[in-house]
Amino acid sequence: MKRLLLPLLLFTATITYAQQFGGNPPSVKWQQVNTPQARVIYSQGMDSVALRVAQTIARMNGTIRPTIGFKQRKVNVVLQNQTTVSNAYVGLAPFRSEFYLTPGQNSFNVGSLPWPEQLAIHEFRHVQQYNNFNVGLSRGLSIVFGEGGQALGNALSVPDWFFEGDAVYNETLVSQQGRGRLPYFFNGFRALWAANKNYSWMKLRNGSYLDYTPNHYPLGYMMVAYGRQKYGNEFWKGVTHDAAAFNTGFYPLQGAIKKHAGIDYTQFRNAALTHFKEQYKADVRDPRPNAQKQHFIADREFPAYVNDSTLIYLKTAYNHIPQFVIKRGPTEKVIAVQSINTDNYFSYYNGQIIYAGYRPDARWGYRNYNELVVLDINTGKERRITRKTKYFSPAFSADGKTIVAVQVAPTGRSELHLLNTDGRLLSVLPNDAGVFYTYPKFYGDNKLISAVRNFKGEMSMALIDISSGATKYLLPFSFEPIAFPQVQGDTVYFTKTSGLGDALLALTISNNKLYRVNVGDKYASIGYYQPAIGNQKIAWVGFTAFGYQINEANRTNIKLVPLNNAQAFAALPNMGISVLNTDNASNILAAVKPDSLPVTKYSKLHGLFNFHSIFPVLDDPNYALQLVGNNVLNTFQSQLTFNYNRDEGYKQIGYEAAYAGLYPYLLAGANYTFDRRGLYNGSYIYYNETAIHGGVQVPFNLSVGKHSTSLTLSSSLYYSQNSFQNPFRSLFKDSHYTYLSSTVRFSNQIQKARQQINPRFAQSISVNYKNAISGINATQLLAVGSLYLPGLSANHSLVLSGAYQHRGQNNAIGYSNDFPFSYGYTAINLDEMNRFAVSYHFPIAYPDAGAANLLYFMRLRGNLFYDQTNGNAGRFYRDGSDFKGKFRSAGAVLFFDTKWFNQAAITFGVRYSYLLDNDPFGGNGKNRVELVLPVAIF
């Protein structure tokens, strides 16, 4: 059972960030570039990238500070270049930032600016936000709880839409691009408006399991940009200062907006959305019948023609993981489930699908790979043709014998590799211009077509000669993104940003003529992406309020409208936010100079302890306060803990540390426990315990294909000394002992769709064995496992659980009890216990409703269970007799999947247990009702 006082629910409303503990091997040598604003930490060989990041931050910082505040606290920025993931974050607890340096292929998604600069101009704005939001009540929480306290205060007062919207505004302001100028960024809201879907503010903020809702990035940008346009550049500085300080009461941001804008929050947000809706008033209304009432259907992406009546594409539904589908006429047939990947892009040729599948390194979390996977559509079988590669956007040649793929090196350098169908590297094309390749395709037998980005972030289309490597740029370079080229004869079809939309264009290569592909109002859509060209048909993907949908037209019905350069290439739109062009920070990215900065070594032992936060932790039966520390490289974690154990009633203070900079984790710790208890002749005895321990742990990430798999092996040596309390000292002598505790944990699961409560197939098992090695007879074996199986419907889940614990007879050591006892009963530590449980999980309703901008209900779900524990213990009663009993219960749990304060996801529930046997260790009656609350806070 998970217990928690209701007021502590407030502590769950925080922002968390995924970090890899010990993710880099010890062979990585770290260096640093220091400026007053940031310490940029990077591996050897990445000097130019690190210098550019540091220079960008230094040039930008002073110019943009007036719009958020002047507080300055230096941040550590760690550049991770071993991963294929494109991402970054700034976080508190600890205060640090990480840039994942491999760019994505889709230039519409985030833009085409050089990736390290894009991350710098976005993420450093988050640094400034945190530096200036440590005020008032947020400051008070940080004094009490450290950085985690500030994170809590900021999350309760400043919504996530502002954090990201303000950072997107900054990237748009200081560059010639930024997402605020990209039509793709607004597609979600355009689709809702075209379908006349008028969702409530709480639904837009919190999302839905039934309907598509855009995330908080475009929502935040529209709010922030409108505020800057309407009320001036320093409007949000005043609003967020008052909000973070809680100067305006229980609804801090709402009150602050009313104070500084002179209108209430509802009026403000409606005006902001109306401003941007007006920019797209010319969009064609969605023609589908009942579009306003239609729920999300599925994303259908990357169509490929087998013939004019047969399409292959990727389909992703809320109730099913991604699948490759073949459609003949109106009939869809599933080919196979897609393997885990970082990009849904795939190519097709003559019965074969090729795409890049994700594989993590077995040990080092910041090192992972994209390996080429070939799928036979007739058999549904896959084969991986490369190992430990970093390939993106593979495509077959016209004869199917050669594959081209983009390879991205850890340095960020982009290359085109040619491989045979077994994955053997044939050649590497030179890239003397240093461009970044995206979505290459074969053009005839001897040439390639690829969208490219130059060192400024401008894009063009390149024609590359395979034999010589000579490159010809077919289009002028511009900041308008280009993607998804598709070659048909002498013509390449592709998507390019054009004005307020993303248009489908065609370029005839022999005469270098450019055309706009006009499909007419009948086929109009929100964006024209991922074209596929058949003999007589053309298909493309458009965005809708029901997901990405494939549109088809006869090629005879489309018109190619000639374009000149003036018509085809222009400055990106500002969406009615004219202050982007008049601010003194406008396009300062172009003014960043390649000045030299001193480079020094960075010690892996720097700031090793770095205690930053006090975290309350609830992991029933343990309830604790932890003073937590992490170093910047996240190779050393340590914590001082005060813990209360509900099962035994003991109190414990201790220190734990783990070092993950070597292949095995090195573990060590010490603790002192008050009021441990055990049973002797049916009565409790109490003693205190001093313990120290040290050991090793080796985590393995064995994920590949369609499964996420992990294996962790650990072993620690414990020394413990027991001191019995009065009046038991006359009966028992103090003792000391040494024991070995070894654990194996294994988990394996397939991917889980959005609506699915549990994976449809998964297994987990944990086995722990404790064995005294100092001559005392004391052993304990605990095994816990679960098997997840499909239920009667796609979103139902059947879970079988089991556990077994055995203590040696006449144990001289009272090992701690972590056995998962039957629901409803008072837990007790017996010599031997076994448990079997079966539970059935199912959704009940999707309310998509909330109240007062405080609590939003996304889903109600149920769980029916049967739970049985059998236990026995020798010399249990005062007379020396044994105990043997059953503890069976059955019941149901009603869970509520909710969002609090429009951003904190919390699941809680009410569990009813009917006891089929007596509870001899506490409580009366057969009916037990328990509140199931979150197990972690902060």
Side-chain angles (χ1 to χ4, degrees):
M1 184 185 72
K2 313 300 182 192
R3 298 177 184 268
L4 179 66
L5 295 176
L6 188 58
L8 289 182
L9 282 172
L10 297 175
F11 285 90
T12 62
T14 63
I15 302 171
T16 58
Y17 301 91
Q19 300 178 20
Q20 296 289 337
F21 181 51
N24 287 297
S27 58
V28 175
K29 307 301 181 185
W30 296 98
Q31 294 182 293
Q32 61 181 328
V33 176
N34 266 303
T35 68
Q37 301 82 24
R39 175 189 288 111
V40 181
I41 303 165
Y42 62 98
S43 58
Q44 283 183 339
M46 298 296 293
D47 300 68
S48 62
V49 175
L51 287 168
R52 186 65 177 178
V53 169
Q55 291 156 354
T56 300
I57 290 172
R59 175 66 181 87
M60 177 178 60
N61 177 61
T63 309
I64 65 174
R65 275 197 304 175
T67 60
I68 196 69
F70 291 90
K71 289 187 176 181
Q72 188 81 52
R73 180 186 173 194
K74 188 172 183 176
V75 68
N76 293 292
V77 180
V78 184
L79 306 185
Q80 303 288 358
N81 68 331
Q82 301 291 319
T83 175
T84 59
V85 176
S86 303
N87 210 339
Y89 73 89
V90 176
L92 293 170
F95 182 48
R96 70 196 291 263
S97 178
E98 285 188 320
F99 292 4
Y100 304 152
L101 291 179
T102 301
Q105 289 281 293
N106 186 347
S107 301
F108 294 110
N109 192 24
V110 183
S112 58
L113 294 175
W115 187 237
E117 295 177 24
Q118 167 71 27
L119 297 180
I121 62 179
H122 181 96
E123 299 302 330
F124 191 73
R125 187 60 168 184
H126 291 317
V127 173
Q128 293 180 320
Q129 291 163 353
Y130 282 126
N131 282 339
N132 288 281
F133 293 172
N134 193 18
V135 292
L137 182 56
S138 294
R139 172 64 177 164
L141 289 170
S142 73
I143 293 172
V144 176
F145 293 106
E147 291 176 4
Q150 183 192 338
L152 168 64
N154 290 171
L156 290 174
S157 57
V158 181
D160 55 2
W161 63 251
F162 176 81
F163 278 93
E164 297 302 345
D166 182 52
V168 171
Y169 186 91
N170 190 69
E171 73 187 49
T172 308
L173 171 66
V174 304
S175 74
Q176 293 186 63
Q177 197 181 73
R179 278 170 280 185
R181 291 191 177 95
L182 300 182
Y184 186 90
F185 186 61
F186 300 94
N187 278 354
F189 279 94
R190 291 176 64 188
L192 296 187
W193 296 331
N196 199 29
K197 284 183 173 289
N198 299 310
Y199 293 148
S200 69
W201 175 254
M202 291 195 74
K203 185 166 182 173
L204 288 176
R205 285 289 290 117
N206 296 293
S208 170
Y209 285 112
L210 283 179
D211 297 300
Y212 166 78
T213 55
N215 65 33
H216 56 284
Y217 282 72
L219 179 65
Y221 177 79
M222 290 189 288
M223 299 283 282
V224 170
Y226 176 78
R228 294 276 286 257
Q229 177 76 17
K230 180 73 174 177
Y231 301 102
N233 284 332
E234 296 190 16
F235 169 71
W236 289 108
K237 179 172 71 172
V239 169
T240 54
H241 179 278
D242 285 343
F246 290 81
N247 288 340
T248 54
F250 188 75
Y251 292 95
L253 187 92
Q254 291 91 320
I257 284 178
K258 185 172 184 179
K259 173 183 174 182
H260 291 271
I263 59 175
D264 66 29
Y265 186 53
T266 302
Q267 291 174 302
F268 177 86
R269 71 193 190 212
N270 289 341
L273 294 175
T274 299
H275 169 90
F276 284 90
K277 188 175 183 179
E278 185 68 16
Q279 308 303 308
Y280 288 101
K281 62 183 178 181
D283 281 351
V284 176
R285 291 294 175 187
D286 197 305
R288 296 168 181 82
N290 300 318
Q292 190 175 10
K293 298 180 181 179
Q294 176 66 56
H295 295 303
F296 179 86
I297 301 171
D299 283 326
R300 293 179 171 92
E301 300 177 89
F302 298 103
Y305 277 105
V306 178
N307 53 57
D308 280 340
S309 61
T310 306
L311 275 175
I312 288 176
Y313 48 86
L314 186 72
K315 180 181 178 181
T316 307
Y318 279 1
N319 64 352
H320 204 288
I321 58 180
Q323 300 170 305
F324 291 108
V325 169
I326 186 167
K327 182 182 180 183
R328 296 182 175 91
T331 304
E332 289 184 332
K333 180 183 176 182
V334 175
I335 300 170
V337 169
Q338 182 191 45
S339 292
I340 299 170
N341 63 85
T342 59
D343 184 352
N344 283 340
Y345 178 85
F346 74 92
S347 294
Y348 169 79
Y349 173 80
N350 193 27
Q352 303 286 309
I353 286 171
I354 187 167
Y355 65 101
Y358 173 82
R359 185 200 292 263
D361 186 86
R363 166 62 181 86
W364 306 109
Y366 285 119
R367 179 184 290 173
N368 42 63
Y369 309 98
N370 273 5
E371 302 172 337
L372 297 186
V373 179
V374 176
L375 168 67
D376 188 309
I377 70 168
N378 297 311
T379 64
K381 293 183 178 180
E382 287 186 345
R383 58 190 179 96
R384 292 201 167 216
I385 63 172
T386 66
R387 293 290 186 272
K388 294 189 175 182
T389 52
K390 296 189 176 184
Y391 284 137
F392 298 83
S393 303
F396 287 110
S397 62
D399 60 7
K401 295 181 180 179
T402 309
I403 297 163
V404 62
V406 177
Q407 194 265 359
V408 182
T411 60
R413 182 176 177 81
S414 175
E415 297 174 331
L416 293 178
H417 284 198
L418 297 179
L419 308 96
N420 68 11
T421 54
D422 291 326
R424 182 170 63 87
L425 181 63
L426 301 176
S427 63
V428 177
L429 273 66
N431 182 11
D432 296 333
V435 297
F436 187 84
Y437 297 107
T438 63
Y439 302 115
K441 294 287 185 180
F442 282 89
Y443 173 62
D445 296 329
N446 302 312
K447 291 183 173 62
L448 296 169
I449 287 283
S450 177
V452 294
R453 311 172 195 162
N454 66 15
F455 66 96
K456 294 181 181 179
E458 298 168 317
M459 294 203 72
S460 180
M461 190 75 71
L463 178 65
I464 306 129
D465 186 275
I466 291 175
S467 58
S468 67
T471 298
K472 177 183 178 181
Y473 299 110
L474 304 176
L475 300 172
F477 277 94
S478 80
F479 283 103
E480 295 174 305
I482 296 173
F484 314 124
Q486 194 69 246
V487 177
Q488 177 74 7
D490 187 44
T491 304
V492 56
Y493 295 82
F494 59 97
T495 305
K496 175 185 168 295
T497 295
S498 179
L500 291 174
D502 294 323
L504 185 58
L505 302 186
L507 176 70
T508 54
I509 299 172
S510 59
N511 60 12
N512 206 37
K513 296 290 186 181
L514 185 64
Y515 303 88
R516 185 184 185 101
V517 181
N518 189 342
V519 300
D521 288 345
K522 179 181 177 181
Y523 301 102
S525 63
I526 306 295
Y528 297 80
Y529 307 103
Q530 305 160 17
I533 315 300
N535 291 326
Q536 301 297 328
K537 288 189 173 183
I538 182 172
W540 69 93
V541 170
F543 195 75
T544 75
F546 332 115
Y548 285 104
Q549 299 299 318
I550 297 172
N551 302 280
E552 285 189 276
N554 292 323
R555 291 175 64 182
T556 55
N557 292 336
I558 67 173
K559 294 181 179 179
L560 299 182
V561 181
L563 296 175
N564 57 42
N565 284 349
Q567 294 169 316
F569 300 92
L572 289 164
N574 60 27
M575 310 301 179
I577 306 300
S578 60
V579 292
L580 286 168
N581 302 323
T582 58
D583 194 297
N584 64 352
S586 295
N587 194 28
I588 60 172
L589 185 61
V592 175
K593 304 296 183 184
D595 301 326
S596 62
L597 294 169
V599 172
T600 58
K601 291 182 179 180
Y602 182 80
S603 171
K604 296 178 182 180
L605 300 180
H606 177 78
L608 203 60
F609 291 91
N610 189 32
F611 289 109
H612 54 75
S613 303
I614 296 176
F615 289 155
V617 177
L618 289 83
D619 188 8
D620 190 65
N622 295 302
Y623 300 78
L625 283 175
Q626 296 179 343
L627 175 61
V628 176
N630 302 76
N631 66 331
V632 170
L633 293 178
N634 206 21
T635 56
F636 187 74
Q637 295 179 349
S638 59
Q639 60 192 40
L640 288 165
T641 303
F642 174 79
N643 180 63
Y644 172 74
N645 181 278
R646 182 179 64 86
D647 280 356
E648 296 187 28
Y650 66 71
K651 284 76 67 179
Q652 184 182 78
I653 56 173
Y655 174 76
E656 299 285 336
Y659 180 70
L662 302 174
Y663 189 79
Y665 294 178
L666 303 181
L667 312 175
N671 55 67
Y672 184 76
T673 307
F674 307 84
D675 301 327
R676 289 289 312 269
R677 76 183 184 195
L679 279 171
Y680 178 75
N681 290 340
S683 298
Y684 286 122
I685 57 173
Y686 291 89
Y687 59 98
N688 300 332
E689 183 179 58
T690 303
I692 59 173
H693 66 88
V696 296
Q697 177 177 304
V698 183
F700 296 103
N701 190 337
L702 306 177
S703 302
V704 67
K706 301 169 178 62
H707 294 262
S708 296
T709 307
S710 66
L711 173 67
T712 302
L713 310 175
S714 62
S715 185
S716 292
L717 184 66
Y718 288 78
Y719 171 79
S720 182
Q721 181 175 336
N722 293 337
S723 175
F724 286 90
Q725 300 177 5
N726 289 322
F728 311 107
R729 297 184 65 84
S730 60
L731 298 175
F732 303 97
K733 293 182 179 180
D734 293 346
S735 63
H736 60 86
Y737 53 86
T738 305
Y739 70 91
L740 193 66
S741 177
S742 301
T743 302
V744 177
R745 292 188 178 92
F746 174 81
S747 68
N748 177 62
Q749 71 171 63
I750 62 171
Q751 302 170 72
K752 184 167 74 75
R754 178 177 175 83
Q755 287 182 345
Q756 290 172 349
I757 298 167
N758 295 310
R760 287 177 63 80
F761 187 64
Q763 314 86 42
S764 68
I765 187 168
S766 174
V767 179
N768 174 256
Y769 182 67
K770 296 183 176 74
N771 180 40
I773 60 174
S774 59
I776 297 176
N777 180 24
T779 61
Q780 180 172 287
L781 172 68
L782 172 63
V784 180
S786 295
L787 174 63
Y788 295 78
L789 298 169
L792 299 175
S793 182
N795 296 328
H796 291 210
S797 174
L798 175 66
V799 183
L800 307 178
S801 301
Y804 175 77
Q805 180 170 292
H806 177 80
R807 298 190 306 180
Q809 293 293 320
N810 301 316
N811 260 6
I813 301 175
Y815 294 121
S816 60
N817 176 26
D818 293 315
F819 185 85
F821 217 78
S822 291
Y823 291 142
Y825 289 92
T826 303
I828 190 71
N829 195 2
L830 302 172
D831 290 344
E832 186 173 46
M833 296 180 285
N834 62 77
R835 176 183 182 242
F836 170 77
V838 57
S839 58
Y840 190 84
H841 302 256
F842 53 92
I844 297 172
Y846 302 96
D848 283 353
N853 281 313
L854 291 178
L855 176 61
Y856 181 81
F857 291 90
M858 294 188 67
R859 178 173 59 189
L860 276 66
R861 53 186 173 92
N863 170 15
L864 304 176
F865 68 86
Y866 171 79
D867 202 345
Q868 176 174 324
T869 296
N870 302 311
N872 62 75
R875 299 179 58 83
F876 186 79
Y877 295 106
R878 290 179 181 273
D879 61 4
S881 59
D882 298 342
F883 170 83
K884 185 176 184 179
K886 287 184 177 181
F887 305 85
R888 297 173 299 165
S889 63
V893 189
L894 179 62
F895 284 107
F896 302 87
D897 295 325
T898 67
K899 291 282 188 73
W900 288 71
F901 309 102
N902 287 326
Q903 62 187 51
I906 299 174
T907 293
F908 63 93
V910 178
R911 180 167 56 228
Y912 167 74
S913 304
Y914 179 77
L915 274 55
L916 301 174
D917 300 292
N918 292 327
D919 184 0
F921 305 112
N924 297 310
K926 298 286 189 178
N927 301 294
R928 304 286 169 89
V929 177
E930 300 165 290
L931 189 61
V932 184
L933 287 170
V935 300
I937 61 183
F938 281 105

